[in-house]
Amino acid sequence: MTTLELEHTGALWWATVFLVALLGLGIGSFLNVVAWRVPRGESVTHPRSACPGCGHPVRARDNVPVVSWMVLRGKCRDCGEPISVRYPLIEAATALLFVLVLWHFGLGIEFVAYAYLAALGVALTSIDLSVHRLPNALVLPAYGVLAVLFAAQSFITGDWWPFARAVIGGAALFALYFGAAIVYPGGMGFGDVKLAGVIGAALGWLGWGPLVVGAFSAFLLGAIAGVVIIATKKSGRRTRIPFGPWMIAGAAVGVAWGDSVWDAYTGTWA
């Protein structure tokens, strides 16, 4: 057994949910540092976090995820500089995603893999929305992390087909986005191409249905978002809209509902 199956009731389950949520809050707090510093080429470990307004280091009691922001009413204790609501939102979102990953996969190697991907997705979404970049420093290591975790799972179970499918899925989605970037360079960046390989591997591990549904959902969600943004006159037709967040959202759809959507679709032709 590579996954600890827990009934979604009872004290053990809720204790696990609580601990996983706390883990998500802590990692979400770190992701705020990552999202701010990585695009600027700064270290994520030092110096200590400080207020950008007055430069005063953040006190430990003011660094409790979500709670500190609420206690401080969204302002720096020392100078009153507003603290973006993005910080508690990222922390809360990461905690929620970790709990959903636990619910979907149980405790095991797959939980580690997809919780890691959830955290990566939160960081990349924040960065891409802010600066229209998907940094190599975050995307490229994901190939190695997934390779190690998926290989470990396959080694334990003795079933290497999911690993092979992940490699095929990663290569296929990478090739699809690479072709799109060559044909239409203004609409697709090579950061998207590199992220596509990671997403393809993660979805391919789960099956062909999640891979196809997740890949299609990215383009569908991106198209809908583009139409809405243009319709509300928040941008023009030539405004570049970051696609990374929609790739990540599409991947989430593939993980959560890929199999059921694929089965429903293929069942209509049976």
Side-chain angles (χ1 to χ4, degrees):
M1 180 183 295
T2 59
T3 301
L4 177 59
E5 298 291 345
L6 297 172
E7 293 291 334
H8 292 175
T9 57
L12 180 58
W13 165 251
W14 290 111
T16 305
V17 168
F18 178 73
L19 292 174
V20 167
L22 285 181
L23 175 64
L25 286 171
I27 291 179
S29 180
F30 176 67
L31 294 179
N32 279 318
V33 177
V34 170
W36 176 262
R37 296 188 182 186
V38 168
R40 294 166 174 80
E42 300 173 355
S43 170
V44 298
T45 58
H46 64 276
R48 288 175 53 190
S49 296
C51 172
C54 64
H56 195 287
V58 177
R59 299 170 178 82
R61 70 177 184 272
D62 294 337
N63 209 23
V64 179
V66 179
V67 175
S68 291
W69 187 89
M70 296 175 66
V71 170
L72 293 170
R73 298 181 180 180
K75 296 181 180 180
C76 172
R77 182 184 295 276
D78 297 287
C79 68
E81 180 80 9
I83 303 171
S84 173
V85 73
R86 180 191 68 180
Y87 292 98
L89 288 179
I90 285 178
E91 293 161 352
T94 307
L96 175 61
L97 288 171
F98 273 36
V99 170
L100 292 175
V101 171
L102 172 69
W103 187 287
H104 193 79
F105 292 102
L107 281 177
I109 293 176
E110 287 185 322
F111 168 78
V112 175
Y114 288 91
Y116 164 77
L117 287 170
L120 178 66
V122 170
L124 290 176
T125 296
S126 178
I127 293 170
D128 205 16
L129 289 174
S130 298
V131 298
H132 291 198
R133 283 180 54 208
L134 297 169
N136 287 338
L138 297 179
V139 176
L140 296 184
Y143 284 92
V145 172
L146 290 187
V148 169
L149 292 173
F150 288 162
Q153 178 82 345
S154 291
F155 178 79
I156 293 171
T157 62
D159 182 5
W160 287 91
W161 172 236
F163 184 85
R165 197 171 55 218
V167 173
I168 296 170
L173 210 57
F174 184 96
L176 174 65
Y177 275 73
F178 183 83
I182 294 298
V183 172
Y184 184 44
M188 188 72 65
F190 279 95
D192 299 327
V193 175
K194 285 172 277 192
L195 178 60
V198 174
I199 289 175
L203 295 175
W205 170 267
L206 299 175
W208 300 124
L211 176 63
V212 173
V213 171
F216 175 78
S217 295
F219 289 100
L220 177 62
L221 293 172
I224 292 173
V227 170
V228 170
I229 291 172
I230 292 173
T232 55
K233 299 181 179 179
K234 294 185 180 296
S235 70
R237 283 185 170 82
R238 296 188 178 182
T239 301
R240 187 177 182 274
I241 300 172
F243 193 56
W246 307 114
M247 295 173 66
I248 293 164
V253 171
V255 171
W257 300 292
D259 277 327
S260 57
V261 171
W262 183 251
D263 288 344
Y265 175 76
T266 55
T268 61
W269 301 97

